[in-house]
Amino acid sequence: MYRVLIVEDEEIIREGFKRTIEWDRYGLEIAGEAKDGNEGLAQARRLRPHLIFVDIRMPGMDGLAFAEQAARLLPDARIVVVSGYKDYEYLRQSLHLGLFDYLLKPVDEDELVRVVENAVRSLDELQASRRSEIEASSRLRKSESVLHHVLLSRLAEGDLSPLRESMPDPYVREVAYGRYAVAVLRVDNYGELARGVYAGDEEALLFSAVNICEESVGADAFVFRQLGLKKQITVLKGLPEAGSGDGGESDEAFLAFQADAERLLDNFGRFGRFRVSLGLGRPYEGWEGIHRSYAEACEAAERTTFRSGNRLVAPSESAGREDGPPLWTAEWEELFLSVCGSKDTERAIALLDTALRSPEAEEATRGRVYAFASRLLESADQAVRTGSPGLNRDVPYWFDRSRIRALDSLPEIREWIAAELARLLSRGHPVYWDSKSLIRDLRDYVARRFTSEEMTLASLSSKFGMNVYQICRLFKSEFGQNFHVFLTELKMEKAKEYLRRTAMPVQDIAFLVGYKETKYFFKVFKKHVGLTPSEYRSQS
C-alpha cells in the first residue's frame, strides 16, 4: 500500500478528501493529515508518504513553500497542489517546482480519480524501475564475485594465464603481494548437513561456512569457494616479501596467519554443526607461490582421518609423515586382479569390502583412501582391457579425485567405488566358465534384440569373443538348430504378429523386424510361411 498525506487547513475539506473515493481500491491508505505546512513537514518526515495533497493557501507556511521543502525531503513523492483560485501564477509556480499535478476546488470526484490513478501508475513504474536497478546491481555484484572466485581458483590450480592477458582483470592488483600462503578448509560432514540441518539448501550451508571463514581470518586474506569442489573453501593470504632467509615457519607474518587458521578452526568448533579439516601450506614467493602453497594445503587437509574431528594440519605435520599400515598388499592385489580378469563382480566387491572395512582403513588418512581407490579402479580397468582387446581403443579410466573428495565417509566411498567397479567389469566380452553358459546367453541376447539390423554373426562374434564358426557349431550342438533358422523364425513370428494385430503397411513391418529391403522380406516371408504378407493378413 502507498501512503497518502493530506495537508489542508480546513477540516471539512480534509474529511471530504478521505471520503470521496475508496482509497484502498487503488492501493492507497490515508497515513496522516496536517492543518498547515509546518505540521505537514513534520508528518512527511515521520510517515515518508508516497502521495501528498496540499492546499496552496494556508496560514503560516503556504502550500508552495511546503511543496518545495517536501520535494527536497522526499524526491520520489508525488505532490499534488489543490487550490480554490484559478490563478495561473500559482499553477505556473507549481509546475516550475516539478510537482506532479494540480486540482481545483471544489474537487471533482472524476478528476480526483484521474489524478490518483496517474499517481499510482507513476509510483508503480518507479518501484519497478528501482527493483530492476537493485536486481541488476545485485547480479553485477554476484557476477563480479563469481569472476573473482574463478580467477582465484585458476591461480590456486596453477593457471597463470589470466595474468598474461592483454587487459588483465583489475582485481589482480588487489591480490598482488610479494608472497602467499594458502589454507584449505574441507567440510567433512557436508552431505549430512545438506540433507539435515540445511534441508537441501546448499547455498545457505556454503554461505555460513564462508561467513565463518571471513570473520576469522585477518586482513589481506581472500576467502573463496574452490570451483568444482563444493565442500572446499580456500583462504589465500597475501604476505609481505621476506626480509631474509626462506620465509619459512619462523616468519612472523606466516605465524600470524597460522594463528588465524587456528582461530578459524575454534570458531567452527563453537558453531557446533560443522566438522571440518583444515590444511595449511607454507609461504612461497610470486604468483607461482599460490599454487605451491595450495598444493601443500590440499595434501595437508587429506592427512586427516574419517574418524578425526575438527583438526588443523600444519606444514610441519604434513612433511614426511608415515601413513601407517598399507591398504594394498601384494597378496590382495594378486587376488583382486584375478577376479577382475574373470569379471567376477561379486567377488571383486567382496575384496573391496575386506579392504575398506579393515582396522587399517579406519585409521588411514583420507589421502591414503583416495590413493587406494584410484589404484583399485585403474587396475580393474587394465584387467578388463587385457581380456577384451577391443576395449584398448577406448580412453583409459581416469580417476576423478574431485568426485571422491565430495563424499563424507568410508561407507559412502565404498558404495561409490563399488558402483564404478561394477561398471568397469561389465564392459567387453563376458567371461564364461563353460561353452553351454556362453551359447545360452548368446541365444537370450539374440531373442531380446533380433529386430535390430545390427544383429549379425559378425557383431555377435565381437561381443562374445568367439569366431563365427564357433558360434554356429555351438548353437547347432546345443539347440539342434541352425543359427540363421532361429533368427529368421524370430523375425517371421514378429512379422505375423504385426500383420494380425495392426494395419501397418508391409514395408513398415519389414523395417521393424530388421529388413532393409521390402522385396527381400517378401521373399523370406513367402518361403517361411507359404503365403505372401498380404495373403496372410487377409486370412487372419
Side-chain angles (χ1 to χ4, degrees):
M1 298 282 281
Y2 294 121
R3 294 182 295 278
V4 178
L5 172 64
I6 301 171
V7 184
E8 164 65 55
D9 60 323
E10 296 185 42
E11 183 178 358
I12 189 171
I13 296 179
R14 294 199 303 273
E15 290 300 318
F17 252 105
K18 289 189 285 186
R19 296 175 182 176
T20 299
I21 62 173
E22 297 178 18
W23 294 90
D24 58 354
R25 178 180 174 186
Y26 302 96
L28 298 167
E29 63 172 345
I30 305 297
E33 52 186 288
K35 60 181 180 295
D36 59 47
N38 288 319
E39 186 182 345
L41 280 177
Q43 292 278 53
R45 290 189 183 94
R46 185 175 66 85
L47 300 172
R48 314 292 295 181
H50 301 91
L51 176 60
I52 301 173
F53 291 91
V54 55
D55 186 15
I56 282 184
R57 290 191 177 272
M58 293 184 297
M61 181 187 294
D62 66 18
L64 290 182
F66 164 85
E68 187 174 3
Q69 293 192 47
R72 286 199 297 267
L73 176 67
L74 302 169
D76 294 335
R78 300 318 189 232
I79 301 176
V80 179
V81 294
V82 184
S83 175
Y85 301 91
K86 296 182 180 179
D87 190 328
Y88 177 75
E89 181 58 26
Y90 278 114
L91 176 60
R92 189 188 67 78
Q93 288 184 50
S94 66
L95 295 176
H96 177 73
L97 290 172
L99 304 186
F100 184 73
D101 213 328
Y102 188 98
L103 283 172
L104 292 176
K105 294 180 181 178
V107 175
D108 179 75
E109 182 177 344
D110 291 339
E111 275 295 292
L112 179 59
V113 168
R114 177 191 66 78
V115 169
V116 163
E117 288 179 340
N118 287 343
V120 169
R121 187 180 304 112
S122 175
L123 288 166
D124 286 344
E125 291 172 356
L126 176 66
Q127 293 293 331
S129 174
R130 287 286 169 80
R131 280 195 297 270
S132 296
E133 289 177 8
I134 292 170
E135 289 170 2
S137 176
S138 176
R139 284 195 298 271
L140 180 60
R141 288 196 300 272
K142 288 181 180 177
S143 176
E144 287 178 346
S145 177
V146 169
L147 289 174
H148 294 163
H149 283 207
V150 170
L151 172 63
L152 293 171
S153 292
R154 290 173 68 182
L155 293 175
E157 295 290 350
D159 179 5
L160 302 183
S161 58
L163 307 176
R164 305 188 186 104
E165 295 171 357
S166 57
M167 296 183 65
D169 191 322
Y171 185 66
V172 168
R173 291 193 294 271
E174 294 185 34
V175 296
Y177 287 85
R179 293 179 303 142
Y180 300 93
V182 174
V184 164
L185 181 133
R186 302 263 173 84
V187 181
D188 295 333
N189 61 337
Y190 185 93
E192 174 191 327
L193 291 173
R195 293 186 298 269
V197 174
Y198 289 92
D201 190 352
E202 295 188 35
E203 278 301 311
L205 190 165
L206 289 167
F207 176 82
S208 298
V210 169
N211 192 49
I212 295 172
C213 290
E214 289 177 336
E215 291 179 355
S216 304
V217 296
D220 305 325
F222 305 89
V223 178
F224 60 98
R225 288 156 56 174
Q226 194 73 29
L227 298 183
L229 297 171
K230 63 182 181 181
K231 65 187 295 179
Q232 176 173 309
I233 297 168
T234 305
V235 181
L236 173 66
K237 176 73 172 181
L239 302 172
E241 293 183 2
S244 61
D246 61 0
E249 294 164 30
S250 61
D251 184 328
E252 289 185 6
F254 175 68
L255 291 176
F257 180 46
Q258 186 167 338
D260 288 341
E262 291 169 351
R263 182 168 59 254
L264 167 60
L265 202 64
D266 289 341
N267 289 341
F268 271 101
R270 282 196 293 273
F271 193 70
R273 294 173 179 172
F274 289 90
R275 190 172 67 252
V276 301
S277 301
L278 187 61
L280 200 59
R282 288 172 293 187
Y284 291 97
E285 293 185 354
W287 294 110
E288 297 86 352
I290 296 176
H291 176 61
R292 292 181 67 187
S293 187
Y294 171 75
E296 281 190 1
C298 289
E299 195 273 340
E302 290 183 1
R303 286 190 174 272
T304 58
T305 70
F306 290 94
R307 282 182 169 182
S308 59
N310 291 5
R311 181 155 180 262
L312 168 67
V313 181
S316 58
E317 295 179 70
S318 178
R321 176 180 163 183
E322 290 296 327
D323 277 337
L327 297 176
W328 186 285
T329 64
E331 295 80 7
W332 189 93
E333 178 180 19
E334 183 179 357
L335 187 56
F336 179 74
L337 292 178
S338 173
V339 299
C340 287
S342 61
K343 294 194 171 183
D344 190 338
T345 304
E346 185 177 344
R347 292 180 68 199
I349 291 176
L351 285 170
L352 168 67
D353 289 345
T354 300
L356 288 189
R357 289 173 178 167
S358 66
E360 290 81 8
E362 292 290 338
E363 298 300 328
T365 64
R366 285 179 167 81
R368 284 186 59 229
V369 173
Y370 300 158
F372 167 80
S374 173
R375 185 173 176 181
L376 179 145
L377 293 171
E378 289 168 359
S379 297
D381 175 61
Q382 187 56 47
V384 172
R385 289 172 183 278
T386 301
S388 303
L391 291 176
N392 289 327
R393 294 189 298 269
D394 298 342
V395 176
Y397 181 79
W398 177 73
F399 181 73
D400 186 354
R401 203 175 181 91
S402 65
R403 291 179 64 187
I404 198 169
R405 279 176 174 170
L407 304 174
D408 289 348
S409 65
L410 276 175
E412 288 182 4
I413 288 176
R414 179 265 171 205
E415 185 177 347
W416 179 79
I417 297 174
E420 288 287 282
L421 187 56
R423 182 179 65 81
L424 289 173
L425 298 185
S426 69
R427 303 171 306 154
H429 305 317
V431 175
Y432 298 93
W433 297 107
D434 59 79
S435 59
K436 287 188 176 183
S437 297
L438 185 153
I439 205 65
R440 288 181 182 277
D441 272 5
L442 183 146
R443 185 183 66 169
D444 291 345
Y445 177 83
V446 172
R448 292 193 302 271
R449 297 171 174 81
F450 67 89
T451 57
S452 169
E453 61 185 41
E454 301 295 327
M455 189 55 63
T456 64
L457 281 170
S459 67
L460 292 172
S461 173
S462 174
K463 177 171 181 59
F464 285 87
M466 296 186 295
N467 62 41
V468 172
Y469 170 75
Q470 287 175 312
I471 292 175
C472 292
R473 181 177 60 80
L474 284 172
F475 200 93
K476 178 74 173 178
S477 173
E478 183 66 22
F479 305 113
Q481 185 181 34
N482 182 282
F483 172 79
H484 284 292
V485 173
F486 170 73
L487 181 61
T488 302
E489 285 181 352
L490 289 173
K491 290 176 180 286
M492 292 303 104
E493 288 302 314
K494 191 66 177 178
K496 288 192 290 184
E497 182 183 341
Y498 282 135
L499 289 166
R500 289 194 307 270
R501 297 185 176 182
T502 74
M504 279 191 295
V506 173
Q507 58 266 32
D508 291 346
I509 293 174
F511 175 78
L512 287 174
V513 296
Y515 289 94
K516 292 181 179 179
E517 297 181 6
T518 306
K519 185 180 292 185
Y520 182 65
F521 168 72
F522 266 87
K523 180 180 177 180
V524 174
F525 191 91
K526 177 71 182 290
K527 180 180 179 180
H528 186 81
V529 182
L531 300 169
T532 67
S534 300
E535 290 171 342
Y536 179 84
R537 172 172 272 166
S538 64
Q539 290 187 13
S540 300

